[in-house]
Amino acid sequence: MKVTYIHHSSFLIETEERYLLFDYYEGNIPGLEQEKPLFVFASHRHSDHFSPVIFELAERYPDITYILSADIWRKRVPEHLQDRTVFMKSHTEQEIIPGMEVKTLKSTDEGVAFLIRCDGAVIYHAGDLNNWYWEGEPDSWNEKMERVYKAEISRIGNEKIDAAFIPLDGRQEDNFYLGVDEFMKYSDAKAIFPMHCWGDFSVIQRLKEMECSEGYRDRIIDIKADGDSFEV
């Protein structure tokens, strides 16, 4: 499958059968084949993960389905697209169409993370599910964050993930790597796509240079700019 980095936490995945677009709010979307189904995911309502602009895509791509976190208000979806929209709460699983199943985890911030099985692949998009360990927060808060994060990603079980999209946020200073590193203790993902970097892609190399990443650093994708594409 082909993966294109759009912007921030937004990616476009193309398989032989369909397109999957995640957490789009701005950036250039490559030209898509109109006859190919498009599935648009939004993990939660934060403005850097969701924008009503995604509903304009239906004007160009008639075979479109929206899979939205249930924290996004239903009234934000245009009336004529309500029957093409699936709202998902955390800890649920649903067959969107035959051959495409979506499971959700509960975010440690807002909304959900998505685990998708389709076209012989397993895809994980974390949204804002991360170990948000912040300097200055009480130890009790950070310890709870770590505990809840580990409990959520343990729900992935034995899934063999082909592509995992996980926050790597330099604003967390020395703790920026925790979410990816802990995820890889629970999952043997083939390709790790850092996201939520706020344009600071240097954090990718920083993680690769850390001793903790020795067992998976060759699977961390080097994103350098919006529009970068990769074959997975």
Side-chain angles (χ1 to χ4, degrees):
M1 61 185 174
K2 182 179 179 181
V3 178
T4 301
Y5 175 63
I6 305 297
H7 182 68
H8 195 53
S9 296
S10 181
F11 292 82
L12 176 72
I13 295 176
E14 181 180 4
T15 71
E16 288 188 8
E17 300 296 328
R18 70 202 81 207
Y19 297 105
L20 296 86
L21 178 65
F22 293 91
D23 282 16
Y24 179 83
Y25 72 101
E26 66 179 26
N28 294 321
I29 300 174
L32 310 180
E33 300 174 24
Q34 287 192 330
E35 65 277 10
K36 203 168 187 177
L38 172 61
F39 295 83
V40 180
F41 294 80
S43 65
H44 61 290
R45 61 190 176 190
H46 287 172
S47 61
D48 61 327
H49 292 262
F50 166 78
S51 169
V53 72
I54 61 174
F55 302 120
E56 297 174 9
L57 292 168
E59 300 171 8
R60 286 175 282 164
Y61 306 106
D63 193 353
I64 194 167
T65 302
Y66 296 93
I67 300 96
L68 309 181
S69 168
D71 72 308
I72 297 171
W73 293 349
R74 183 176 291 272
K75 67 182 181 181
R76 303 208 66 179
V77 181
E79 187 67 31
H80 69 285
L81 295 176
Q82 291 279 342
D83 61 350
R84 300 193 204 177
T85 304
V86 177
F87 290 91
M88 295 192 70
K89 297 180 179 179
S90 58
H91 301 161
T92 59
E93 189 164 358
Q94 186 166 343
E95 185 178 60
I96 305 301
I97 61 170
M100 183 178 184
E101 298 177 346
V102 178
K103 177 180 179 179
T104 59
L105 306 180
K106 182 176 175 59
S107 176
T108 45
D109 190 353
E110 291 273 0
V112 301
F114 294 110
L115 187 69
I116 300 141
R117 307 179 198 95
C118 69
D119 302 334
V122 180
I123 300 156
Y124 171 77
H125 190 284
D128 268 356
L129 174 56
N130 189 31
N131 183 353
W132 295 113
Y133 190 111
W134 298 102
E135 294 293 341
E137 290 288 350
D139 289 345
S140 58
W141 193 94
N142 283 324
E143 289 167 3
K144 180 181 179 182
M145 177 62 62
E146 180 179 14
R147 185 171 63 252
V148 172
Y149 179 66
K150 289 180 176 179
E152 284 303 311
I153 58 177
S154 70
R155 289 175 172 269
I156 293 171
N158 297 319
E159 293 280 3
K160 301 297 183 182
I161 295 174
D162 294 280
F165 304 85
I166 310 172
L168 193 66
D169 194 324
R171 300 175 305 165
Q172 290 184 269
E173 301 178 358
D174 291 344
N175 305 300
F176 78 102
Y177 70 98
L178 291 177
V180 173
D181 189 61
E182 289 166 359
F183 181 87
M184 291 305 292
K185 293 174 183 175
Y186 287 83
S187 170
D188 193 31
K190 294 179 182 177
I192 306 160
F193 289 84
M195 65 180 191
H196 213 273
C197 304
W198 298 101
D200 178 14
F201 302 112
S202 68
V203 292
I204 299 173
Q205 189 59 37
R206 282 175 61 194
L207 175 56
K208 286 190 169 189
E209 292 172 356
M210 296 177 71
E211 184 177 353
C212 68
S213 69
E214 181 179 3
Y216 59 84
R217 64 174 61 114
D218 60 333
R219 287 176 273 171
I220 302 172
I221 304 300
D222 279 315
I223 298 172
K224 294 182 171 63
D226 293 2
D228 284 354
S229 293
F230 310 89
E231 292 291 336
V232 177

